[in-house]
Amino acid sequence: AGLEEEPTIVFLVMTVDANHKVTTKFFQRNNYFGLRGDQVFFFRQGCMPCFSTDGKMLLQSPFEIAVSPDGNAGVYTALRREGILDRLQEAGVKWIQVFSVDNLLVRAADPVWYGYCEETEADVCVKTVPKRDWSEAVGVVTLRGGAPSVIEYSEIGEARAQEANEDGVLKYNAANICLQAYSLDFLCKPALEYKTIWHIARKDIPTIEGKQPGIKLEGFIFDVFEVAKTFRLLQVDRAAEFSAIKNASDSGKPDTPQTALASLSRLHRSWLRQAGAPLPDDDENGEGPICEVSPLLSYRGENLEDVAGGVDSSGESILVQ
């Protein structure tokens, strides 16, 4: 927030009815993780009714329609409905960063990103990373009908996903990692005026008669990109800014809590080595001891020279704080 008296980063947390109380209590119990209570805003996501596969509304109880969260695009209307946009305007906020909860390496309030937004006068700026390979289960940022958009991995198709340029680089290579920055002006007008496109998600729905196959309606956060007058991309280093948690530890799939922890440890070991810490090189698989540098000490590897020499790498883990 651009308050001249005391510049403040405001932290917004979108919840749903099912987890609102437990989320707010978790923050309170942990003293807002070093933030002031008045700089953390909680707001609830909206809901949409659920339908049976033949289009009938489902009941959650004799007196309640079955509902589900309205998708990550619900953030736009929720910010207005809960009064957050007004509070941000009063605080002098100019830019808002939005990120998912499952990216362990997200850089909150990245000054380089905000500087790029300011310099290019962007309405919306999206961080991307090159895809690991054509089959990675991520959407890609591209143009659709001449307007910025995202093609989901479930709709791109194998043939198109494998298309490459003359230099062998994938044609659709800008992986969408759900890291967006918006101007507050954009969120207060174009994003609110945009008519949400409802996408169908076929899921098992809890109903008064037990779980049954049904339809949820979800808005996608990136559909609004098409109305941005100035849309920008910023490609970043995956190893430094993206490691998602999408699957359970025992799923046999990538992107688990263990792979995210390994990514964080690998990044922080590299910071310490650059600062002069006596750490051995990682093995051929890029593995080494679990390592974490406190974010209160360093944001992106800076200011570690004074502590690097005292790092002890003899144990199974390294904590620098």
Side-chain angles (χ1 to χ4, degrees):
L3 302 177
E4 294 183 3
E5 301 82 5
E6 187 177 359
T8 303
I9 295 173
V10 177
F11 190 64
L12 312 177
V13 182
M14 186 168 75
T15 65
V16 295
D17 286 339
N19 68 20
H20 183 80
K21 286 185 178 179
V22 68
T23 302
T24 55
K25 288 182 178 179
F26 180 72
F27 272 80
Q28 292 167 0
R29 190 167 61 248
N30 289 278
N31 297 315
Y32 297 95
F33 300 94
L35 301 177
R36 299 193 316 269
D38 63 357
Q39 71 183 110
V40 182
F41 299 170
F42 297 93
F43 64 105
R44 286 180 172 89
Q45 184 177 357
C47 293
M48 288 293 288
C50 299
F51 300 87
S52 64
T53 53
D54 58 359
K56 297 178 180 178
M57 282 192 179
L58 297 172
L59 292 178
Q60 181 175 321
S61 77
F63 317 104
E64 296 176 291
I65 294 173
V67 297
S68 65
D70 56 1
N72 52 16
V75 66
Y76 303 121
T77 52
L79 285 169
R80 177 187 59 184
R81 184 180 60 250
E82 299 281 326
I84 302 297
L85 291 178
D86 292 337
R87 295 173 69 181
L88 295 178
Q89 286 180 310
E90 292 172 1
V93 171
K94 187 170 184 180
W95 301 99
I96 296 179
Q97 170 188 350
V98 177
F99 59 89
S100 300
V101 298
D102 60 358
N103 180 7
L104 188 63
L105 300 185
V106 65
R107 284 181 177 167
D110 181 359
V112 173
W113 195 8
Y114 288 141
Y116 179 65
C117 292
E118 182 75 21
E119 184 178 89
T120 61
E121 299 181 342
D123 294 318
V124 180
C125 183
V126 175
K127 284 187 176 183
T128 70
V129 297
K131 293 181 68 173
R132 277 196 298 248
D133 54 61
W134 72 266
S135 63
E136 184 178 8
V138 292
V140 290
V141 185
T142 185
L143 296 178
R144 194 193 299 250
S149 181
V150 172
I151 301 178
E152 283 285 51
Y153 70 90
S154 58
E155 64 180 350
I156 192 171
E158 289 191 7
R160 178 174 289 177
Q162 295 181 67
E163 289 183 16
N165 298 321
E166 293 181 359
D167 56 4
V169 175
L170 291 174
K171 184 175 180 180
Y172 298 94
N173 198 39
N176 175 41
I177 56 176
C178 204
L179 281 175
Q180 297 90 223
Y182 307 88
S183 71
L184 187 60
D185 289 341
F186 179 81
L187 291 179
C188 287
K189 191 170 175 63
L192 292 179
E193 294 174 348
Y194 183 78
K195 187 175 181 180
T196 302
I197 299 171
W198 295 109
H199 302 265
I200 290 176
R202 300 184 183 276
K203 303 284 182 67
D204 287 337
I205 311 294
T207 74
I208 191 173
E209 299 175 349
K211 284 190 176 183
Q212 65 180 75
I215 293 172
K216 295 182 178 182
L217 299 178
E218 299 177 347
F220 292 166
I221 195 169
F222 49 73
D223 284 337
V224 75
F225 292 173
E226 66 180 53
V227 297
K229 290 184 178 179
T230 308
F231 181 84
R232 298 285 185 248
L233 295 182
L234 182 62
Q235 189 175 94
V236 297
D237 179 10
R238 177 192 290 261
E241 299 199 40
F242 181 61
S243 187
I245 302 173
K246 298 180 180 179
N247 301 301
S249 300
D250 58 357
S251 64
K253 299 178 180 179
D255 301 327
T256 66
Q258 280 66 33
T259 60
L261 177 59
S263 296
L264 179 73
S265 295
R266 191 176 303 115
L267 175 64
H268 287 193
R269 289 194 301 268
S270 71
W271 288 358
L272 291 170
R273 289 194 193 94
Q274 290 173 8
L279 293 181
D281 292 337
D282 292 347
D283 64 23
E284 58 184 12
N285 297 315
E287 301 298 330
I290 295 173
C291 179
E292 182 174 0
V293 175
S294 169
L296 299 177
L297 181 63
S298 182
Y299 179 75
R300 53 190 301 171
E302 75 286 355
N303 301 326
L304 294 177
E305 288 76 14
D306 291 342
V307 299
V311 171
D312 181 7
S313 61
S314 61
E316 295 182 356
S317 61
I318 301 168
L319 177 62
V320 181
Q321 56 186 346

